[in-house]
Amino acid sequence: MAWKCGAMAGPLGPSLVCPATEEFTKEAITALRAGKVIAVPTDTLYGFACDACSLGAVNRIYEIKGRQYTSPLAICVGDVHDIGKFAVTDHLPHRLLDNLLPGPVTVVLRRGDSSILEKSLNPGLNSIGVRVPDSNFIRLISRGFGSALALTSANLSGKPSSVDIKDFENLWEHCAYVYDGGVLPSGRAGSTVVDLTSMGKYKILRPGSAAVETIEVLQRHSLIEDKVAS
């Protein structure tokens, strides 16, 4: 039997818990275009997602998480070839991004003057963390949405990350939809965050769940570790 969405009423209005399957992507995209926040599984953790170009939606994520506005949000796109619309990639070795992504890696790149990303996202920063999760559901949503999604872990700031929708049940009421992909098997380490803003160099900002594999790919493409202190 096919799963159906179940309504969950909260003080902020109704929320729907739905299975993270292709047939439910249309409603997710509609909600994102309306400036709403949704909760989705990725290849690492559950995350809150919204339109990265909607200041109101982005601010809503900060409010839900109780997160400081100075803490940057990453973006999610559907495919590796989309990254160049939002960040500078022409200094990277050929096929490096294709060998890192899709996967549990956040690549930090310079925005550059040609980025179509809203200046209101992470104001004052000239770099952006980009994800292409190895998770079909969120990639389908990203493709259908047609632009970047702001993406951050679905939890209160400073609290443990979520690998099951029950882990952030107290926050469901703030989301238009909560998409259930079951218990995620990756643990709570999150993605590996790597700074690729400098030509020929890399810096691991957060080891995350795939540091060893990520470093192997980077070194295979002749990148060297930037050991200069931030």
Side-chain angles (χ1 to χ4, degrees), residues 212-226:
V212 173
E213 299 90 337
T214 299
I215 291 170
E216 287 177 354
V217 171
L218 296 168
Q219 293 180 344
R220 197 161 66 239
H221 285 269
S222 301
L223 269 67
I224 60 173
E225 185 178 4
D226 185 353

Side-chain angles (χ1 to χ4, degrees), residues 26-38 145 176-177 179:
K26 183 178 179 181
E27 289 82 1
I29 294 165
T30 299
L32 291 167
R33 287 178 176 158
K36 303 293 182 64
V37 174
I38 63 173
F145 184 63
Y177 294 96
Y179 291 97

Side-chain angles (χ1 to χ4, degrees), residues 5-143:
C5 293
M8 192 284 298
L12 298 178
S15 216
L16 287 176
V17 178
C18 305
T21 56
E22 184 174 356
E23 63 194 292
F24 293 101
T25 57
K26 183 178 179 181
E27 289 82 1
I29 294 165
T30 299
L32 291 167
R33 287 178 176 158
K36 303 293 182 64
V37 174
I38 63 173
V40 291
T42 72
D43 52 355
T44 53
L45 307 168
Y46 277 86
F48 292 132
C50 74
D51 179 359
C53 293
S54 168
L55 181 58
V58 168
N59 286 342
R60 187 76 190 122
I61 278 186
Y62 280 102
E63 291 168 3
I64 293 170
K65 287 178 64 70
R67 184 183 176 105
Q68 292 185 348
Y69 286 86
T70 52
S71 299
L73 297 180
I75 63 169
C76 170
V77 296
D79 294 284
V80 174
H81 61 73
D82 295 321
I83 296 175
K85 301 174 187 175
F86 305 97
V88 177
T89 61
D90 53 12
H91 65 294
L92 299 175
H94 181 60
R95 295 196 64 78
L96 171 62
L97 292 179
D98 294 288
N99 288 325
L100 286 173
L101 302 167
V105 180
T106 300
V107 293
V108 178
L109 298 164
R110 286 181 292 112
R111 294 195 195 199
D113 295 332
S114 61
S115 173
I116 65 173
L117 198 61
E118 272 289 320
K119 297 283 194 297
S120 59
L121 181 69
N122 306 338
L125 291 181
N126 61 5
S127 61
I128 187 70
V130 187
R131 289 223 59 202
V132 185
D134 188 13
S135 178
N136 189 51
F137 183 68
I138 191 170
R139 292 181 68 195
L140 286 170
I141 292 172
S142 298
R143 289 185 194 125

